[in-house]
Amino acid sequence: MPASTFATRCLFLLAVMSMVVAAPIPIRLRNTHSIIIRNDPDSGSDWDSDSGSSSDTDNTSVDSDSGTGNSTSTNNVVFATDLSIDVATILQSVKFATFNPVPGANYGTGHDDNKAQIYKLDVDGSVGGSVYAVEADMDVDCDGTDYQCEGNDDGQSETSYGALSAERVPFYVLPQSFVDQQNIRGNSLGAIICNNKMFYAIMGDTNGDSPEVIGEASWLLARTCFPDDDLNGAKGHDQSDVMYIVFGSLVPGGISEDSPTIDIDSLKELGDKTMKAFKLTS
């Protein structure tokens, strides 16, 4: 091959190679990593689009069959129950514990004619005090220091036991008449089973409406239970599939009427200790 021809071909190949190197990578390929695995600080969860499920594996995670990443993932929730506690078995046993309905404790949920009956549970004496259970819905209570949350047009600046923050404290709500009738202590422990998970909360507010209703929780607890539903003061979880287990005599430490927050670690410690000893006797 003549030298001039060889040189010409070499120059042509170098030109082609420089064009390939300089060509921009298509956007679809350049962003492949961010499409497959998203660690979005706003979503709060890692999402693997190849597997179609969340990478979370413990019982405080959002269900993997939900098909979406969440804006408020329940991963690593401090007030979630210990993994060793069998939530499904507890829920099943409490659902059938309908031997002792509390007289007069049959309340509306605020949705049509739905009623929720409170039952007194026969539990092992090591738990301590009276224990009650009711299955109801979960509307959002924004009373307290965050009473101006979205959709909460008639909120109050204080809860029944201080000025708790509905955005920072997991609390549930009971009718005032029931609290008075059964001598339920303010801020008493609750184990709330929702969306196949269990979280601990305090009884931080009461409902004194006329008529009284049941099935309310703080903004934090409601959105932790149902992270996909964008719940707020005007939008609750309407289905009566949330189990509230109330320990009327047990109050965790670290609660003050002067503080909008509580000691979540103390709530978690008391909750786990109580639920590990929890056992129905009939």
Side-chain angles (χ1 to χ4, degrees):
M1 177 185 297
S4 60
T5 302
F6 177 79
T8 299
R9 290 186 177 183
C10 287
L11 289 173
F12 176 77
L13 290 174
L14 287 173
V16 171
M17 291 175 63
S18 64
M19 292 174 62
V20 171
V21 171
I25 300 173
I27 293 176
R28 183 171 59 86
L29 295 178
R30 191 170 59 216
N31 291 339
T32 297
H33 179 76
S34 63
I35 291 173
I36 295 176
I37 301 176
R38 186 175 73 240
N39 190 4
D40 185 349
D42 292 329
S43 70
S45 63
D46 293 339
W47 185 255
D48 188 339
S49 63
D50 284 353
S51 64
S53 64
S54 170
S55 61
D56 301 328
T57 57
D58 63 34
N59 77 327
T60 64
S61 303
V62 175
D63 291 342
S64 60
D65 60 1
S66 65
T68 59
N70 295 281
S71 58
T72 52
S73 170
T74 57
N75 186 38
N76 297 323
V77 174
V78 178
F79 52 90
T81 187
D82 188 85
L83 294 177
S84 64
I85 295 173
D86 190 342
V87 175
T89 297
I90 292 173
L91 176 60
Q92 190 72 4
S93 63
V94 172
K95 272 180 172 288
F96 290 99
T98 57
F99 311 107
N100 299 315
V102 177
N106 190 20
Y107 299 95
T109 64
H111 301 287
D112 299 324
D113 295 326
N114 293 344
K115 293 283 188 176
Q117 173 66 51
I118 302 179
Y119 296 91
K120 187 173 182 179
L121 302 179
D122 293 327
V123 297
D124 186 282
S126 61
V127 170
S130 298
V131 184
Y132 306 87
V134 60
E135 192 169 29
D137 63 329
M138 184 174 278
D139 291 326
V140 177
D141 183 334
C142 284
D143 288 348
T145 58
D146 302 307
Y147 71 97
Q148 293 180 326
C149 77
E150 180 184 354
N152 195 50
D153 297 332
D154 60 347
Q156 302 177 29
S157 59
E158 292 187 353
T159 60
S160 296
Y161 306 106
L164 296 174
S165 168
E167 292 185 357
R168 290 183 282 172
V169 177
F171 66 77
Y172 64 100
V173 182
L174 291 177
Q176 185 67 58
S177 62
F178 177 76
V179 171
D180 294 341
Q181 177 192 34
Q182 301 297 322
N183 295 316
I184 305 297
R185 294 181 63 186
N187 302 312
S188 56
L189 174 69
I192 316 302
I193 303 177
C194 53
N195 210 7
N196 300 315
K197 307 170 186 68
M198 180 187 289
F199 302 103
Y200 302 123
I202 62 171
M203 198 274 290
D205 203 2
T206 60
N207 182 280
D209 293 343
S210 181
E212 292 173 309
V213 297
I214 199 168
E216 293 179 277
S218 66
W219 185 92
L220 173 62
L221 180 56
R223 290 174 68 93
T224 302
C225 281
F226 303 101
D228 291 328
D229 295 351
D230 192 27
L231 302 185
N232 57 53
K235 180 185 178 184
H237 177 78
D238 296 346
Q239 290 75 32
S240 293
D241 56 5
V242 179
M243 184 65 72
Y244 299 81
I245 305 175
V246 177
F247 299 89
S249 302
L250 302 181
V251 178
I255 300 175
S256 170
E257 290 189 5
D258 299 325
S259 174
T261 61
I262 66 172
D263 186 341
I264 298 291
D265 289 335
S266 293
L267 171 64
K268 161 78 170 174
E269 181 180 359
L270 178 61
D272 280 342
K273 177 183 177 181
T274 301
M275 293 314 298
K276 287 177 181 179
F278 182 83
K279 181 180 179 182
L280 296 180
T281 57
S282 63

